[in-house]
PDB file of all heavy atoms in Angstrom:
ATOM      1  N   ASP A 244     -84.232-160.602 -94.216  1.00 82.00           N
ATOM      2  CA  ASP A 244     -83.105-161.402 -94.695  1.00 82.00           C
ATOM      3  C   ASP A 244     -81.831-161.014 -93.936  1.00 82.00           C
ATOM      4  O   ASP A 244     -80.839-160.557 -94.537  1.00 82.00           O
ATOM      5  CB  ASP A 244     -82.908-161.194 -96.198  1.00 82.00           C
ATOM      6  CG  ASP A 244     -81.995-162.256 -96.798  1.00 82.00           C
ATOM      7  OD1 ASP A 244     -81.642-163.218 -96.081  1.00 82.00           O
ATOM      8  OD2 ASP A 244     -81.610-162.114 -97.974  1.00 82.00           O
ATOM      9  N   PRO A 245     -81.823-161.158 -92.599  1.00 78.00           N
ATOM     10  CA  PRO A 245     -80.694-160.664 -91.793  1.00 78.00           C
ATOM     11  C   PRO A 245     -79.372-161.343 -92.112  1.00 78.00           C
ATOM     12  O   PRO A 245     -78.318-160.721 -91.977  1.00 78.00           O
ATOM     13  CB  PRO A 245     -81.137-160.941 -90.357  1.00 78.00           C
ATOM     14  CG  PRO A 245     -82.144-162.031 -90.462  1.00 78.00           C
ATOM     15  CD  PRO A 245     -82.845-161.820 -91.772  1.00 78.00           C
ATOM     16  N   GLU A 246     -79.394-162.625 -92.514  1.00 82.00           N
ATOM     17  CA  GLU A 246     -78.133-163.316 -92.796  1.00 82.00           C
ATOM     18  C   GLU A 246     -77.336-162.610 -93.879  1.00 82.00           C
ATOM     19  O   GLU A 246     -76.106-162.582 -93.850  1.00 82.00           O
ATOM     20  CB  GLU A 246     -78.400-164.776 -93.218  1.00 82.00           C
ATOM     21  CG  GLU A 246     -78.931-165.663 -92.105  1.00 82.00           C
ATOM     22  CD  GLU A 246     -80.421-165.479 -91.884  1.00 82.00           C
ATOM     23  OE1 GLU A 246     -81.035-164.734 -92.673  1.00 82.00           O
ATOM     24  OE2 GLU A 246     -80.960-166.067 -90.931  1.00 82.00           O
ATOM     25  N   LYS A 247     -78.023-162.009 -94.831  1.00 85.00           N
ATOM     26  CA  LYS A 247     -77.343-161.337 -95.929  1.00 85.00           C
ATOM     27  C   LYS A 247     -77.193-159.839 -95.677  1.00 85.00           C
ATOM     28  O   LYS A 247     -76.131-159.252 -95.932  1.00 85.00           O
ATOM     29  CB  LYS A 247     -78.131-161.544 -97.232  1.00 85.00           C
ATOM     30  CG  LYS A 247     -77.485-160.911 -98.455  1.00 85.00           C
ATOM     31  CD  LYS A 247     -78.417-160.969 -99.663  1.00 85.00           C
ATOM     32  CE  LYS A 247     -78.736-162.409-100.006  1.00 85.00           C
ATOM     33  NZ  LYS A 247     -79.606-162.488-101.225  1.00 85.00           N
ATOM     34  N   ASN A 248     -78.238-159.203 -95.151  1.00 84.00           N
ATOM     35  CA  ASN A 248     -78.257-157.739 -95.063  1.00 84.00           C
ATOM     36  C   ASN A 248     -77.523-157.181 -93.851  1.00 84.00           C
ATOM     37  O   ASN A 248     -77.001-156.068 -93.918  1.00 84.00           O
ATOM     38  CB  ASN A 248     -79.709-157.242 -95.053  1.00 84.00           C
ATOM     39  CG  ASN A 248     -80.383-157.460 -96.392  1.00 84.00           C
ATOM     40  OD1 ASN A 248     -79.748-157.350 -97.435  1.00 84.00           O
ATOM     41  ND2 ASN A 248     -81.671-157.774 -96.373  1.00 84.00           N
ATOM     42  N   VAL A 249     -77.480-157.923 -92.738  1.00 81.00           N
ATOM     43  CA  VAL A 249     -76.789-157.405 -91.546  1.00 81.00           C
ATOM     44  C   VAL A 249     -75.291-157.246 -91.788  1.00 81.00           C
ATOM     45  O   VAL A 249     -74.731-156.171 -91.522  1.00 81.00           O
ATOM     46  CB  VAL A 249     -77.074-158.295 -90.318  1.00 81.00           C
ATOM     47  CG1 VAL A 249     -76.155-157.921 -89.164  1.00 81.00           C
ATOM     48  CG2 VAL A 249     -78.525-158.153 -89.891  1.00 81.00           C
ATOM     49  N   PRO A 250     -74.578-158.258 -92.300  1.00 84.00           N
ATOM     50  CA  PRO A 250     -73.151-158.039 -92.596  1.00 84.00           C
ATOM     51  C   PRO A 250     -72.930-156.938 -93.622  1.00 84.00           C
ATOM     52  O   PRO A 250     -71.987-156.133 -93.481  1.00 84.00           O
ATOM     53  CB  PRO A 250     -72.692-159.406 -93.135  1.00 84.00           C
ATOM     54  CG  PRO A 250     -73.661-160.387 -92.577  1.00 84.00           C
ATOM     55  CD  PRO A 250     -74.964-159.664 -92.534  1.00 84.00           C
ATOM     56  N   ARG A 251     -73.773-156.880 -94.638  1.00 87.00           N
ATOM     57  CA  ARG A 251     -73.637-155.824 -95.647  1.00 87.00           C
ATOM     58  C   ARG A 251     -73.835-154.449 -95.027  1.00 87.00           C
ATOM     59  O   ARG A 251     -73.084-153.502 -95.303  1.00 87.00           O
ATOM     60  CB  ARG A 251     -74.678-156.057 -96.751  1.00 87.00           C
ATOM     61  CG  ARG A 251     -74.620-155.062 -97.890  1.00 87.00           C
ATOM     62  CD  ARG A 251     -75.756-155.322 -98.866  1.00 87.00           C
ATOM     63  NE  ARG A 251     -75.691-156.684 -99.393  1.00 87.00           N
ATOM     64  CZ  ARG A 251     -76.666-157.225-100.128  1.00 87.00           C
ATOM     65  NH1 ARG A 251     -77.782-156.545-100.357  1.00 87.00           N
ATOM     66  NH2 ARG A 251     -76.526-158.449-100.590  1.00 87.00           N
ATOM     67  N   LEU A 252     -74.832-154.336 -94.140  1.00 83.00           N
ATOM     68  CA  LEU A 252     -75.114-153.059 -93.474  1.00 83.00           C
ATOM     69  C   LEU A 252     -73.948-152.616 -92.599  1.00 83.00           C
ATOM     70  O   LEU A 252     -73.545-151.448 -92.621  1.00 83.00           O
ATOM     71  CB  LEU A 252     -76.387-153.205 -92.637  1.00 83.00           C
ATOM     72  CG  LEU A 252     -76.818-151.999 -91.800  1.00 83.00           C
ATOM     73  CD1 LEU A 252     -77.203-150.845 -92.714  1.00 83.00           C
ATOM     74  CD2 LEU A 252     -77.990-152.370 -90.911  1.00 83.00           C
ATOM     75  N   TYR A 253     -73.380-153.559 -91.857  1.00 82.00           N
ATOM     76  CA  TYR A 253     -72.265-153.211 -90.969  1.00 82.00           C
ATOM     77  C   TYR A 253     -71.020-152.813 -91.753  1.00 82.00           C
ATOM     78  O   TYR A 253     -70.326-151.856 -91.392  1.00 82.00           O
ATOM     79  CB  TYR A 253     -71.949-154.380 -90.033  1.00 82.00           C
ATOM     80  CG  TYR A 253     -72.656-154.268 -88.712  1.00 82.00           C
ATOM     81  CD1 TYR A 253     -73.775-155.039 -88.419  1.00 82.00           C
ATOM     82  CD2 TYR A 253     -72.220-153.375 -87.746  1.00 82.00           C
ATOM     83  CE1 TYR A 253     -74.430-154.933 -87.213  1.00 82.00           C
ATOM     84  CE2 TYR A 253     -72.866-153.258 -86.529  1.00 82.00           C
ATOM     85  CZ  TYR A 253     -73.966-154.038 -86.269  1.00 82.00           C
ATOM     86  OH  TYR A 253     -74.614-153.913 -85.076  1.00 82.00           O
ATOM     87  N   TRP A 254     -70.707-153.519 -92.814  1.00 88.00           N
ATOM     88  CA  TRP A 254     -69.499-153.180 -93.576  1.00 88.00           C
ATOM     89  C   TRP A 254     -69.639-151.833 -94.275  1.00 88.00           C
ATOM     90  O   TRP A 254     -68.694-151.027 -94.303  1.00 88.00           O
ATOM     91  CB  TRP A 254     -69.189-154.278 -94.591  1.00 88.00           C
ATOM     92  CG  TRP A 254     -68.487-155.463 -93.995  1.00 88.00           C
ATOM     93  CD1 TRP A 254     -68.968-156.730 -93.861  1.00 88.00           C
ATOM     94  CD2 TRP A 254     -67.185-155.483 -93.411  1.00 88.00           C
ATOM     95  NE1 TRP A 254     -68.052-157.532 -93.239  1.00 88.00           N
ATOM     96  CE2 TRP A 254     -66.943-156.805 -92.961  1.00 88.00           C
ATOM     97  CE3 TRP A 254     -66.192-154.513 -93.229  1.00 88.00           C
ATOM     98  CZ2 TRP A 254     -65.748-157.167 -92.341  1.00 88.00           C
ATOM     99  CZ3 TRP A 254     -64.999-154.880 -92.615  1.00 88.00           C
ATOM    100  CH2 TRP A 254     -64.785-156.191 -92.180  1.00 88.00           C
ATOM    101  N   LEU A 255     -70.817-151.552 -94.837  1.00 88.00           N
ATOM    102  CA  LEU A 255     -71.025-150.260 -95.502  1.00 88.00           C
ATOM    103  C   LEU A 255     -70.968-149.114 -94.494  1.00 88.00           C
ATOM    104  O   LEU A 255     -70.344-148.075 -94.744  1.00 88.00           O
ATOM    105  CB  LEU A 255     -72.370-150.261 -96.239  1.00 88.00           C
ATOM    106  CG  LEU A 255     -72.459-151.142 -97.489  1.00 88.00           C
ATOM    107  CD1 LEU A 255     -73.886-151.147 -98.034  1.00 88.00           C
ATOM    108  CD2 LEU A 255     -71.489-150.663 -98.564  1.00 88.00           C
ATOM    109  N   SER A 256     -71.624-149.298 -93.344  1.00 84.00           N
ATOM    110  CA  SER A 256     -71.613-148.240 -92.336  1.00 84.00           C
ATOM    111  C   SER A 256     -70.216-148.071 -91.739  1.00 84.00           C
ATOM    112  O   SER A 256     -69.799-146.951 -91.429  1.00 84.00           O
ATOM    113  CB  SER A 256     -72.621-148.546 -91.236  1.00 84.00           C
ATOM    114  OG  SER A 256     -72.313-149.778 -90.614  1.00 84.00           O
ATOM    115  N   PHE A 257     -69.484-149.179 -91.592  1.00 84.00           N
ATOM    116  CA  PHE A 257     -68.124-149.096 -91.072  1.00 84.00           C
ATOM    117  C   PHE A 257     -67.241-148.276 -92.018  1.00 84.00           C
ATOM    118  O   PHE A 257     -66.447-147.435 -91.583  1.00 84.00           O
ATOM    119  CB  PHE A 257     -67.549-150.499 -90.900  1.00 84.00           C
ATOM    120  CG  PHE A 257     -66.141-150.508 -90.369  1.00 84.00           C
ATOM    121  CD1 PHE A 257     -65.881-150.263 -89.033  1.00 84.00           C
ATOM    122  CD2 PHE A 257     -65.073-150.761 -91.221  1.00 84.00           C
ATOM    123  CE1 PHE A 257     -64.587-150.271 -88.547  1.00 84.00           C
ATOM    124  CE2 PHE A 257     -63.778-150.770 -90.738  1.00 84.00           C
ATOM    125  CZ  PHE A 257     -63.531-150.527 -89.407  1.00 84.00           C
ATOM    126  N   ALA A 258     -67.391-148.522 -93.326  1.00 90.00           N
ATOM    127  CA  ALA A 258     -66.607-147.759 -94.304  1.00 90.00           C
ATOM    128  C   ALA A 258     -66.979-146.278 -94.262  1.00 90.00           C
ATOM    129  O   ALA A 258     -66.105-145.402 -94.334  1.00 90.00           O
ATOM    130  CB  ALA A 258     -66.831-148.329 -95.702  1.00 90.00           C
ATOM    131  N   LEU A 259     -68.277-145.975 -94.117  1.00 88.00           N
ATOM    132  CA  LEU A 259     -68.728-144.590 -94.082  1.00 88.00           C
ATOM    133  C   LEU A 259     -68.210-143.879 -92.830  1.00 88.00           C
ATOM    134  O   LEU A 259     -67.666-142.767 -92.914  1.00 88.00           O
ATOM    135  CB  LEU A 259     -70.260-144.540 -94.123  1.00 88.00           C
ATOM    136  CG  LEU A 259     -70.905-143.159 -94.000  1.00 88.00           C
ATOM    137  CD1 LEU A 259     -70.471-142.270 -95.153  1.00 88.00           C
ATOM    138  CD2 LEU A 259     -72.423-143.273 -93.943  1.00 88.00           C
ATOM    139  N   VAL A 260     -68.368-144.517 -91.664  1.00 84.00           N
ATOM    140  CA  VAL A 260     -67.934-143.899 -90.410  1.00 84.00           C
ATOM    141  C   VAL A 260     -66.416-143.699 -90.399  1.00 84.00           C
ATOM    142  O   VAL A 260     -65.905-142.652 -89.972  1.00 84.00           O
ATOM    143  CB  VAL A 260     -68.378-144.759 -89.209  1.00 84.00           C
ATOM    144  CG1 VAL A 260     -67.777-144.248 -87.915  1.00 84.00           C
ATOM    145  CG2 VAL A 260     -69.899-144.767 -89.104  1.00 84.00           C
ATOM    146  N   THR A 261     -65.689-144.693 -90.874  1.00 88.00           N
ATOM    147  CA  THR A 261     -64.228-144.581 -90.917  1.00 88.00           C
ATOM    148  C   THR A 261     -63.792-143.447 -91.828  1.00 88.00           C
ATOM    149  O   THR A 261     -62.854-142.688 -91.512  1.00 88.00           O
ATOM    150  CB  THR A 261     -63.612-145.906 -91.394  1.00 88.00           C
ATOM    151  OG1 THR A 261     -64.045-146.968 -90.546  1.00 88.00           O
ATOM    152  CG2 THR A 261     -62.092-145.839 -91.371  1.00 88.00           C
ATOM    153  N   SER A 262     -64.460-143.298 -92.960  1.00 92.00           N
ATOM    154  CA  SER A 262     -64.120-142.213 -93.889  1.00 92.00           C
ATOM    155  C   SER A 262     -64.344-140.848 -93.249  1.00 92.00           C
ATOM    156  O   SER A 262     -63.517-139.935 -93.394  1.00 92.00           O
ATOM    157  CB  SER A 262     -64.965-142.336 -95.160  1.00 92.00           C
ATOM    158  OG  SER A 262     -64.734-143.569 -95.805  1.00 92.00           O
ATOM    159  N   ILE A 263     -65.448-140.707 -92.522  1.00 85.00           N
ATOM    160  CA  ILE A 263     -65.741-139.430 -91.858  1.00 85.00           C
ATOM    161  C   ILE A 263     -64.660-139.109 -90.824  1.00 85.00           C
ATOM    162  O   ILE A 263     -64.177-137.976 -90.728  1.00 85.00           O
ATOM    163  CB  ILE A 263     -67.133-139.480 -91.200  1.00 85.00           C
ATOM    164  CG1 ILE A 263     -68.217-139.562 -92.281  1.00 85.00           C
ATOM    165  CG2 ILE A 263     -67.359-138.268 -90.305  1.00 85.00           C
ATOM    166  CD1 ILE A 263     -69.607-139.762 -91.735  1.00 85.00           C
ATOM    167  N   TYR A 264     -64.249-140.113 -90.049  1.00 84.00           N
ATOM    168  CA  TYR A 264     -63.230-139.881 -89.019  1.00 84.00           C
ATOM    169  C   TYR A 264     -61.869-139.578 -89.633  1.00 84.00           C
ATOM    170  O   TYR A 264     -61.094-138.787 -89.078  1.00 84.00           O
ATOM    171  CB  TYR A 264     -63.146-141.087 -88.086  1.00 84.00           C
ATOM    172  CG  TYR A 264     -64.128-141.028 -86.949  1.00 84.00           C
ATOM    173  CD1 TYR A 264     -65.399-141.553 -87.077  1.00 84.00           C
ATOM    174  CD2 TYR A 264     -63.791-140.426 -85.741  1.00 84.00           C
ATOM    175  CE1 TYR A 264     -66.311-141.487 -86.048  1.00 84.00           C
ATOM    176  CE2 TYR A 264     -64.690-140.347 -84.698  1.00 84.00           C
ATOM    177  CZ  TYR A 264     -65.957-140.886 -84.858  1.00 84.00           C
ATOM    178  OH  TYR A 264     -66.858-140.814 -83.835  1.00 84.00           O
ATOM    179  N   LEU A 265     -61.550-140.195 -90.763  1.00 89.00           N
ATOM    180  CA  LEU A 265     -60.283-139.900 -91.428  1.00 89.00           C
ATOM    181  C   LEU A 265     -60.261-138.455 -91.925  1.00 89.00           C
ATOM    182  O   LEU A 265     -59.252-137.756 -91.786  1.00 89.00           O
ATOM    183  CB  LEU A 265     -60.061-140.872 -92.594  1.00 89.00           C
ATOM    184  CG  LEU A 265     -59.678-142.306 -92.207  1.00 89.00           C
ATOM    185  CD1 LEU A 265     -59.627-143.194 -93.447  1.00 89.00           C
ATOM    186  CD2 LEU A 265     -58.337-142.322 -91.483  1.00 89.00           C
ATOM    187  N   VAL A 266     -61.366-138.009 -92.509  1.00 85.00           N
ATOM    188  CA  VAL A 266     -61.451-136.617 -92.968  1.00 85.00           C
ATOM    189  C   VAL A 266     -61.323-135.665 -91.788  1.00 85.00           C
ATOM    190  O   VAL A 266     -60.610-134.645 -91.847  1.00 85.00           O
ATOM    191  CB  VAL A 266     -62.779-136.384 -93.718  1.00 85.00           C
ATOM    192  CG1 VAL A 266     -62.975-134.898 -94.013  1.00 85.00           C
ATOM    193  CG2 VAL A 266     -62.806-137.178 -95.011  1.00 85.00           C
ATOM    194  N   LEU A 267     -61.990-135.998 -90.678  1.00 80.00           N
ATOM    195  CA  LEU A 267     -61.918-135.164 -89.478  1.00 80.00           C
ATOM    196  C   LEU A 267     -60.490-135.119 -88.925  1.00 80.00           C
ATOM    197  O   LEU A 267     -60.009-134.075 -88.475  1.00 80.00           O
ATOM    198  CB  LEU A 267     -62.878-135.700 -88.421  1.00 80.00           C
ATOM    199  CG  LEU A 267     -63.022-134.881 -87.134  1.00 80.00           C
ATOM    200  CD1 LEU A 267     -63.539-133.490 -87.447  1.00 80.00           C
ATOM    201  CD2 LEU A 267     -63.957-135.594 -86.158  1.00 80.00           C
ATOM    202  N   ALA A 268     -59.797-136.259 -88.963  1.00 82.00           N
ATOM    203  CA  ALA A 268     -58.414-136.307 -88.483  1.00 82.00           C
ATOM    204  C   ALA A 268     -57.502-135.447 -89.354  1.00 82.00           C
ATOM    205  O   ALA A 268     -56.622-134.731 -88.841  1.00 82.00           O
ATOM    206  CB  ALA A 268     -57.926-137.755 -88.466  1.00 82.00           C
ATOM    207  N   LEU A 269     -57.697-135.480 -90.673  1.00 85.00           N
ATOM    208  CA  LEU A 269     -56.887-134.659 -91.580  1.00 85.00           C
ATOM    209  C   LEU A 269     -57.138-133.171 -91.342  1.00 85.00           C
ATOM    210  O   LEU A 269     -56.203-132.356 -91.327  1.00 85.00           O
ATOM    211  CB  LEU A 269     -57.194-135.034 -93.028  1.00 85.00           C
ATOM    212  CG  LEU A 269     -56.726-136.424 -93.478  1.00 85.00           C
ATOM    213  CD1 LEU A 269     -57.232-136.732 -94.876  1.00 85.00           C
ATOM    214  CD2 LEU A 269     -55.213-136.526 -93.424  1.00 85.00           C
ATOM    215  N   ILE A 270     -58.400-132.804 -91.149  1.00 79.00           N
ATOM    216  CA  ILE A 270     -58.736-131.399 -90.876  1.00 79.00           C
ATOM    217  C   ILE A 270     -58.107-130.946 -89.565  1.00 79.00           C
ATOM    218  O   ILE A 270     -57.548-129.848 -89.460  1.00 79.00           O
ATOM    219  CB  ILE A 270     -60.266-131.213 -90.845  1.00 79.00           C
ATOM    220  CG1 ILE A 270     -60.855-131.470 -92.231  1.00 79.00           C
ATOM    221  CG2 ILE A 270     -60.633-129.809 -90.366  1.00 79.00           C
ATOM    222  CD1 ILE A 270     -62.365-131.455 -92.269  1.00 79.00           C
ATOM    223  N   SER A 271     -58.189-131.790 -88.540  1.00 77.00           N
ATOM    224  CA  SER A 271     -57.617-131.440 -87.237  1.00 77.00           C
ATOM    225  C   SER A 271     -56.104-131.279 -87.338  1.00 77.00           C
ATOM    226  O   SER A 271     -55.522-130.355 -86.742  1.00 77.00           O
ATOM    227  CB  SER A 271     -57.953-132.526 -86.214  1.00 77.00           C
ATOM    228  OG  SER A 271     -59.353-132.690 -86.104  1.00 77.00           O
ATOM    229  N   THR A 272     -55.449-132.169 -88.079  1.00 80.00           N
ATOM    230  CA  THR A 272     -53.997-132.081 -88.240  1.00 80.00           C
ATOM    231  C   THR A 272     -53.602-130.791 -88.956  1.00 80.00           C
ATOM    232  O   THR A 272     -52.673-130.089 -88.543  1.00 80.00           O
ATOM    233  CB  THR A 272     -53.482-133.296 -89.026  1.00 80.00           C
ATOM    234  OG1 THR A 272     -53.870-134.496 -88.340  1.00 80.00           O
ATOM    235  CG2 THR A 272     -51.975-133.259 -89.151  1.00 80.00           C
ATOM    236  N   GLY A 273     -54.329-130.474 -90.029  1.00 80.00           N
ATOM    237  CA  GLY A 273     -54.035-129.240 -90.758  1.00 80.00           C
ATOM    238  C   GLY A 273     -54.248-128.000 -89.916  1.00 80.00           C
ATOM    239  O   GLY A 273     -53.443-127.055 -89.952  1.00 80.00           O
ATOM    240  N   ALA A 274     -55.313-127.991 -89.122  1.00 75.00           N
ATOM    241  CA  ALA A 274     -55.592-126.835 -88.266  1.00 75.00           C
ATOM    242  C   ALA A 274     -54.530-126.692 -87.190  1.00 75.00           C
ATOM    243  O   ALA A 274     -54.116-125.579 -86.838  1.00 75.00           O
ATOM    244  CB  ALA A 274     -56.973-126.979 -87.644  1.00 75.00           C
TER     245      ALA A 274
END
C-alpha cells in the first residue's frame, strides 16, 4: 500500500532524524 505508507514512513522518519540532529546540536553547543 505505497500510496498510504510511503508518505507516512517519510514523515515519521523525518521527524525522528530531525529530533536526533537537534539533540546533537544542543549537546555540541553546550560542550
Side-chain angles (χ1 to χ4, degrees):
D244 194 8
E246 291 80 5
K247 182 189 299 182
N248 291 325
V249 169
R251 182 184 302 171
L252 177 65
Y253 266 104
W254 280 113
L255 289 175
S256 59
F257 180 76
L259 176 61
V260 172
T261 304
S262 300
I263 293 174
Y264 273 89
L265 286 174
V266 171
L267 185 61
L269 291 173
I270 294 174
S271 302
T272 303

